[in-house]
Amino acid sequence: MRIAILNKDRCQPRRCSHECEKYCPRVRTGYETIVFGDDGKAIISEELCVGCGICVNKCPFSAIMIIGLPEALDKPTHRYGQNGFALYGLPTPQVGKVTGILGPNGIGKSTSVQILSGALVPNFGEDIGDWDTVLEHYAGTGMYDYFKNVVDGKIKVSQKPQYVDMIPKAFNGKTRDLLEGTDERGVMDELVEKLDLGHIINRNIGELSGGELQRVAIAACAARDADFYFFDEISPYLDIYQRINSSKLIQDLAKDKAVLVVEHDLAILDMLSDVVQVAYGMPSGYGVITHPKGVRIAINQYLKGYLPEENVRVRPDAITFEVHPPRVATDIATLLDYNAFSKKYGDGFSLRSDSGSLKEGEVIGIVGPNGIGKSTFVKILAGEVEPDEGELESEVSISYKPQYIKVDSFMQVRQFLRSITRRFDTSYYEAEIIKPLQLEPLFDKMLNDLSGGELQRVAIAACLSKDADLYILDEPSAHLDVEQRSLATKAIKRFAENNGKTAMVVDHDIYMIDMLSERLIVFEGEPAVFGIAHPPSSMQKGMNKFLSDLGITFRRDEETIRPRVNKKDSRLDREQKAKGEYYYYKVDE
């Protein structure tokens, strides 16, 4: 079985010679396999298509996908018209449980929520969907009762959007006004305390940072009196402390409600979920949502790239972790020795940094809560901010990717990257930057039309494209799915190793820090009051210090060697805390 997908935004029939039709072998033998509709766009007959792939390769705008599907996928749950995206399967909301969804972006998660909320009627591949057909299709299953309640208007849905930076465009007012308007359960004061929103409660929404907006959005979603709650990515812009607090709040919410969470931070998904459903397929082409699986089983299968129950390989290579941190060789040249320094902003925040050194070709992770001085630290290293005490004499050139990416250019992605580096058209740049970051499909898009994840990948590429000695990337994982995080991690690490360049990565995703870093800089202190930057240390020493402040311990999974959060006060948690081994390298036998 195969489906044909046409990206109508890319299809430009007035700018091409209709290569898809001209070179199609079935058309040339007299079959109307490809025709052009009233809007001038191509229409591909899936019944007549033989799957040769010639049209895919000949289309000058890469607008066509011909996808071979497993035979078990007979009828889609919903399809957006002929040659449109197809969704197979649905998440299963379960009262009293948090259901996690693990999969790439563009795979149908938003479509699923629209269906579960009743805003979209599944059409099962037909032109129009109707609820009678839906109820007949799900008769005798657990989903029948759910959809019967949807039809009868007994299901109320509360949803947290993925891109919280859009909230100021939809709401103009103070944080208090937004939360009071959504507080249907009378829990606003409790949510404000749990999510530490007291200091911003009287500030305008337009003045809030990304992390503050994220916590306000979580609070607004949780405050509604709903039967089904959907949280689309809770981790972007939040530090690890805030992520854990948000996870605990959502778990409390799920005691008598059905909760669905899409999350790409695997440590948080592992800790938060009761069951996980894997979403796989081809972004913008089709998506398949599996039946619920145990959390450990689902994440391990996804990391390995193979789903045994479905007999489907979702990735050619497994995402792997190292048992031990990389060893730092003593003969590696030093890029920069920096002295201790300090910086104070009036009567407000102050930062103190111990002295340290950076080695050539290494990747250093930077961890700590938000508002602790990490951005100030890297700006002082970059020479953008002068310290109050301690001199930094350095001729090191720095390329910096900020946490919040603003677009003030109306250039195409191709033009933007070409304006930054002369290496754009070289085979090296294509192999080391373009392919790992999956940028080629974005080349003809305008920068201001990119989604959050697309803009993040372009920003990473732009940072690595500049000629510098030190590359600093602030939260490169934001809005990237698990696949993209893995690819971005490999691209950053390989770039540093192959070019003898030093990279510093500020991130709150423990998995990304674990895969990427050779050494660690840990920040401690009180957010918005003072921060202390410790010197670079080994991964084990640094993570032990960081996790001891958090009060959580990690063990290693037996199969994938990935870090897993121990349940608080469990046997392993107590044992590791007693030994001071918060970051556990020994694999259980």
Side-chain angles (χ1 to χ4, degrees):
M1 180 182 174
R2 68 179 60 86
I3 59 174
I5 304 296
L6 178 75
N7 187 324
K8 291 191 175 183
D9 293 333
R10 289 187 188 173
C11 182
Q12 303 290 333
R14 294 182 180 179
R15 296 173 54 195
C16 71
S17 302
H18 293 193
E19 286 89 346
C20 57
E21 179 189 37
K22 183 182 297 183
Y23 290 99
C24 176
R26 295 286 283 175
V27 171
R28 298 175 75 171
T29 54
Y31 294 93
E32 292 186 339
T33 308
I34 300 179
V35 297
F36 290 85
D38 296 336
D39 59 356
K41 307 287 185 178
I43 299 174
I44 305 170
S45 170
E46 294 171 349
E47 291 77 15
L48 297 176
C49 175
V50 296
C52 65
I54 292 176
C55 60
V56 177
N57 296 320
K58 289 295 183 180
C59 177
F61 303 107
S62 301
I64 300 173
M65 290 188 288
I66 306 296
I67 304 168
L69 299 179
E71 291 298 326
L73 299 179
D74 181 21
K75 182 185 293 186
T77 304
H78 187 78
R79 191 164 190 190
Y80 289 97
Q82 187 174 13
N83 300 147
F85 177 85
L87 173 67
Y88 298 83
L90 285 173
T92 307
Q94 300 181 54
V95 176
K97 289 187 177 181
V98 177
T99 301
I101 303 296
L102 173 58
N105 292 325
I107 211 74
K109 299 185 288 287
S110 297
T111 298
S112 300
V113 174
Q114 284 185 286
I115 292 174
L116 292 173
S117 67
L120 180 65
V121 183
N123 59 19
F124 302 106
E126 304 298 329
D127 293 334
I128 300 176
D130 66 271
W131 284 116
D132 289 337
T133 304
V134 173
L135 292 176
E136 181 181 348
H137 178 83
Y138 287 105
T141 70
M143 291 296 288
Y144 175 86
D145 293 334
Y146 180 86
F147 279 120
K148 186 68 170 64
N149 287 331
V150 169
V151 173
D152 295 339
K154 297 179 180 179
I155 294 289
K156 184 177 179 182
V157 176
S158 180
Q159 180 176 353
K160 186 205 83 71
Q162 179 181 10
Y163 298 116
V164 295
D165 50 356
M166 303 299 290
I167 294 177
K169 298 179 181 179
F171 182 86
N172 184 22
K174 295 185 181 298
T175 303
R176 181 184 298 276
D177 300 330
L178 174 62
L179 294 180
E180 286 179 346
T182 59
D183 188 22
E184 299 170 350
R185 298 195 295 128
V187 293
M188 188 185 86
D189 292 340
E190 180 185 344
L191 293 173
V192 166
E193 182 181 353
K194 286 184 176 180
L195 294 173
D196 191 24
L197 299 174
H199 64 290
I200 63 168
I201 195 71
N202 293 314
R203 284 169 55 188
N204 289 323
I205 288 292
E207 299 173 357
L208 302 185
S209 68
E212 291 165 343
L213 280 173
Q214 186 71 267
R215 284 178 285 147
V216 168
I218 293 170
C221 178
R224 293 193 180 277
D225 187 13
D227 305 286
F228 170 48
Y229 293 86
F230 175 68
F231 294 87
D232 197 347
E233 292 191 43
I234 66 169
S235 64
Y237 307 128
L238 298 187
D239 62 39
I240 186 67
Y241 301 84
Q242 296 162 345
R243 294 181 186 193
I244 291 174
N245 286 338
S246 299
S247 299
K248 291 177 180 177
L249 185 150
I250 292 172
Q251 286 176 320
D252 291 340
L253 188 66
K255 289 179 180 177
D256 57 353
K257 303 289 184 179
V259 178
L260 189 68
V261 177
V262 174
E263 183 51 60
H264 301 301
D265 183 333
L266 293 183
I268 295 299
L269 184 70
D270 192 1
M271 181 178 66
L272 174 64
S273 306
D274 296 303
V275 294
V276 169
Q277 292 181 253
V278 177
Y280 68 91
M282 184 172 291
S284 302
Y286 79 102
V288 182
I289 297 178
T290 69
H291 294 297
K293 302 171 183 279
V295 178
R296 176 179 174 274
I297 292 172
I299 294 178
N300 284 356
Q301 288 181 358
Y302 191 78
L303 290 175
K304 290 178 180 179
Y306 177 65
L307 309 178
E309 293 90 347
E310 292 77 15
N311 194 24
V312 170
R313 179 160 289 283
V314 298
R315 190 186 317 103
D317 300 310
I319 297 175
T320 58
F321 297 83
E322 295 185 17
V323 179
H324 295 283
R327 296 178 180 176
V328 180
T330 56
D331 59 346
I332 295 178
T334 298
L335 172 71
L336 171 65
D337 286 312
Y338 59 90
N339 299 319
F341 61 84
S342 64
K343 178 70 180 178
K344 185 173 178 62
Y345 292 93
D347 295 329
F349 178 80
S350 64
L351 170 68
R352 177 173 63 81
S353 171
D354 296 332
S355 61
S357 64
L358 309 179
K359 304 289 186 180
E360 291 183 359
E362 73 170 344
V363 180
I364 296 179
I366 299 179
V367 294
N370 286 332
I372 205 72
K374 298 188 297 292
S375 296
T376 300
F377 174 80
V378 297
K379 286 178 181 178
I380 290 176
L381 289 185
E384 295 182 12
V385 175
E386 289 291 330
D388 296 330
E389 296 181 4
E391 294 185 2
L392 293 182
E393 297 180 0
S394 170
E395 298 180 357
V396 171
S397 57
I398 293 179
S399 177
Y400 177 53
K401 185 203 82 69
Q403 179 181 9
Y404 303 116
I405 306 166
K406 296 181 180 179
V407 177
D408 55 3
S409 173
F410 293 93
M411 300 172 66
Q412 286 184 326
V413 172
R414 187 198 311 271
Q415 296 171 323
F416 172 66
L417 293 177
R418 184 173 278 140
S419 69
I420 294 176
T421 178
R422 298 177 181 177
R423 298 177 295 171
F424 181 82
D425 294 309
T426 64
S427 58
Y428 169 82
Y429 192 79
E430 180 179 357
E432 298 296 324
I433 305 294
I434 294 174
K435 285 187 176 179
L437 294 174
Q438 301 174 328
L439 296 179
E440 194 167 357
L442 309 180
F443 278 170
D444 295 323
K445 283 190 173 185
M446 305 298 290
L447 286 173
N448 56 328
D449 291 334
L450 298 179
S451 68
E454 292 170 340
L455 189 59
Q456 186 70 259
R457 284 181 281 147
V458 171
I460 294 171
C463 178
L464 299 181
S465 298
K466 295 175 182 176
D467 189 14
D469 301 309
L470 176 61
Y471 295 81
I472 301 173
L473 300 100
D474 197 345
E475 203 163 338
S477 70
H479 299 309
L480 299 186
D481 61 39
V482 176
E483 302 275 346
Q484 293 164 347
R485 291 181 189 203
S486 174
L487 292 171
T489 297
K490 291 179 181 177
I492 295 169
K493 193 166 187 175
R494 188 162 51 233
F495 176 85
E497 291 174 349
N498 292 347
N499 295 278
K501 303 293 186 179
T502 304
M504 302 180 77
V505 177
V506 181
D507 212 285
H508 303 292
D509 185 333
I510 296 295
Y511 280 46
M512 190 169 192
I513 289 292
D514 184 76
M515 289 191 291
L516 189 64
S517 308
E518 295 174 62
R519 290 195 295 161
L520 209 61
I521 295 178
V522 179
F523 278 72
E524 294 182 305
E526 184 178 341
V529 180
F530 73 95
I532 301 172
H534 294 288
S537 63
S538 68
M539 280 292 290
Q540 187 160 12
K541 181 179 177 182
M543 288 299 287
N544 274 335
K545 178 185 287 292
F546 176 58
L547 295 177
S548 65
D549 292 340
L550 280 174
I552 62 175
T553 57
F554 278 82
R555 68 186 184 279
R556 290 283 179 174
D557 184 80
E558 297 177 21
E559 291 184 46
T560 60
I561 322 299
R562 65 183 172 91
R564 297 192 68 195
V565 180
N566 291 321
K567 291 189 181 298
K568 188 176 181 180
D569 295 328
S570 66
R571 179 187 61 81
L572 270 178
D573 184 57
R574 297 194 308 270
E575 181 181 311
Q576 288 180 221
K577 284 178 178 177
K579 293 180 179 179
E581 293 181 346
Y582 289 80
Y583 187 57
Y584 200 48
Y585 283 105
K586 182 180 178 182
V587 183
D588 294 336
E589 297 296 337

